[in-house]
Amino acid sequence: MHSNKRKNADFELTFLGIGAQKAVYDISLPQEQKEVHFWDWHYRKGFEWYIRQFGYHSQKASSASAPHYGEITPCYVVLPEATIAELYKCFPNLKIIFVARDLVDRAWSAMIMELRDQTMGLSAGEFANGVTGTDKNNNSNHANKRTKLSAAQQRRFYFMDRLRNATHDSRSNYAKHLSNWYKHFPSSSILLIDYREIESNPRDVLLKVAMHIGVEEEQAKQFVTSLNDKEVGQRVNAATSSGSGASTVSSSTSSHQLLTQRPMLKKQMERYLQPYARDFNDMLKTKGYDWRLDDFSLKKEIL
């Protein structure tokens, strides 16, 4: 979709969550699913298909005031720069929200989800001696050598191999991809949130997000105050595995515990991801934020 082909000029996309997982009152999210993936997967379906996901036409007919239309698709952070430029042409006032999670925790959770979705035909972290986590039909000498590794060695080999995969590696490079957004959107339009703040002070995060996307301060405060603790902490549209409806990741805590039980693998992941953490922390400093991700720089002295 090119900006000159945007047929419905009345529709205004207010915000995109390219990493966040919560939203607030007086907004309109897609009706059937949180992650629409229009700007990466369904682009060719056209703009009219996109606005139908928000129930735009029915809301327009029944509402006197225009809600804040927006969606949350974390994969958008890695959109090509040309698509980001197109978004700005269509919606120059668009607000962007990115939640930065600890790089090791993010990568580990993504790989665990990958396994639990059985995309590799394996159970998370389960490697029998003499069985590799790669293609069993691979007859190369390299693969044959791997079959002689212990289960623990195979786990480390497998997860580090996945971490270096283009998809997982790219998603870890926050600074690189966010720099593309900053090239086209002003810094004031992009809100970076520390994932840890969602856990420690979710009400403040909700208020911050609401005001960033344009909800009036008093209205935003009333909404956040009206929520009980259960509503504030509730996970919205958490990913589910196909068919069963069960959560693909039982909880971030259990996932973190799995990694804690593998200290050597964790150290390897920290070493690999350290440059990405430092680059993102440099960006945070440049943009005036007073928080930073763990860049693992003191780990060697502590251990």
Side-chain angles (χ1 to χ4, degrees):
M1 182 196 74
H2 298 286
S3 54
N4 62 354
K5 292 183 180 179
R6 180 184 164 192
K7 296 180 180 179
N8 200 316
D10 292 334
F11 177 83
E12 187 67 26
L13 189 66
T14 305
F15 70 94
L16 282 182
I18 60 174
Q21 296 186 4
K22 297 288 182 182
V24 297
Y25 173 68
D26 196 28
I27 70 171
S28 178
L29 290 169
Q31 296 183 333
E32 295 187 6
Q33 58 184 343
K34 180 183 71 174
E35 298 184 16
V36 177
H37 284 284
F38 173 71
W39 299 97
D40 49 3
W41 297 355
H42 303 301
Y43 194 67
R44 294 185 179 181
K45 292 184 178 180
F47 192 69
E48 285 299 316
W49 177 90
Y50 187 46
I51 66 175
R52 284 200 300 272
Q53 308 312 302
F54 299 91
Y56 169 70
H57 294 293
S58 59
Q59 288 185 13
K60 183 180 179 182
S62 62
S63 176
S65 60
H68 298 276
Y69 292 100
E71 55 142 327
I72 303 168
T73 303
C75 295
Y76 285 166
V77 69
V78 299
L79 285 175
E81 188 176 345
T83 304
I84 297 171
E86 186 67 27
L87 266 163
Y88 181 74
K89 289 178 183 178
C90 290
F91 308 107
N93 297 317
L94 183 68
K95 301 299 183 182
I96 308 300
I97 305 159
F98 178 77
V99 177
R101 187 175 181 179
D102 175 87
L103 285 173
V104 170
D105 286 346
R106 189 218 64 80
W108 175 251
S109 293
M111 291 187 291
I112 290 295
M113 182 175 292
E114 182 179 65
L115 284 176
R116 290 185 178 174
D117 279 347
Q118 297 182 337
T119 57
M120 304 297 293
L122 299 168
S123 296
E126 292 183 1
F127 294 80
N129 285 324
V131 179
T132 67
T134 57
D135 184 356
K136 295 177 182 179
N137 295 320
N138 187 339
N139 295 317
S140 68
N141 291 332
H142 184 57
N144 290 335
K145 289 179 181 178
R146 288 182 59 185
T147 62
K148 300 177 182 179
L149 299 175
S150 69
Q153 288 173 319
Q154 288 178 54
R155 274 195 295 268
R156 292 197 296 274
F157 198 110
Y158 169 78
F159 282 114
M160 290 306 298
D161 186 58
R162 293 303 301 154
L163 182 59
R164 295 185 182 96
N165 175 272
T167 297
H168 291 298
D169 180 82
S170 180
R171 297 285 170 81
S172 298
N173 199 341
Y174 295 167
K176 174 185 176 181
H177 295 293
L178 284 170
S179 66
N180 290 332
W181 289 88
Y182 278 113
K183 286 179 185 177
H184 299 278
F185 287 87
S187 295
S188 59
S189 294
I190 302 175
L191 176 64
L192 306 181
I193 295 176
D194 184 353
Y195 181 86
R196 294 165 295 192
E197 190 178 358
I198 294 178
E199 298 179 326
S200 64
N201 206 340
R203 291 182 187 275
D204 277 3
V205 172
L206 284 173
L207 181 61
K208 192 182 300 183
V209 169
M211 293 176 61
H212 179 66
I213 67 175
V215 178
E216 293 293 332
E217 181 176 1
E218 194 60 35
Q219 186 181 27
K221 287 181 177 178
Q222 288 177 0
F223 167 72
V224 174
T225 302
S226 71
L227 297 174
N228 59 45
D229 291 341
K230 183 178 180 180
E231 290 171 321
V232 171
Q234 183 179 1
R235 298 181 65 190
V236 179
N237 290 345
T240 56
S241 58
S242 59
S244 67
S247 176
T248 57
V249 180
S250 58
S251 70
S252 59
T253 301
S254 61
S255 175
H256 180 75
Q257 288 173 344
L258 279 174
L259 184 57
T260 302
Q261 295 165 8
R262 297 166 172 81
M264 293 186 68
L265 172 60
K266 186 176 181 181
K267 289 179 187 178
Q268 284 184 291
M269 292 178 67
E270 288 173 350
R271 284 195 294 269
Y272 182 81
L273 295 170
Q274 187 178 55
Y276 295 153
R278 289 178 174 174
D279 288 347
F280 181 66
N281 285 337
D282 288 343
M283 174 177 281
L284 286 172
K285 185 176 180 180
T286 300
K287 299 301 179 182
Y289 288 89
D290 59 1
W291 56 273
R292 54 189 285 118
L293 292 181
D294 185 358
D295 65 7
F296 325 114
S297 58
L298 299 177
K299 298 285 185 178
K300 292 182 180 179
E301 297 178 15
I302 295 173
L303 292 171

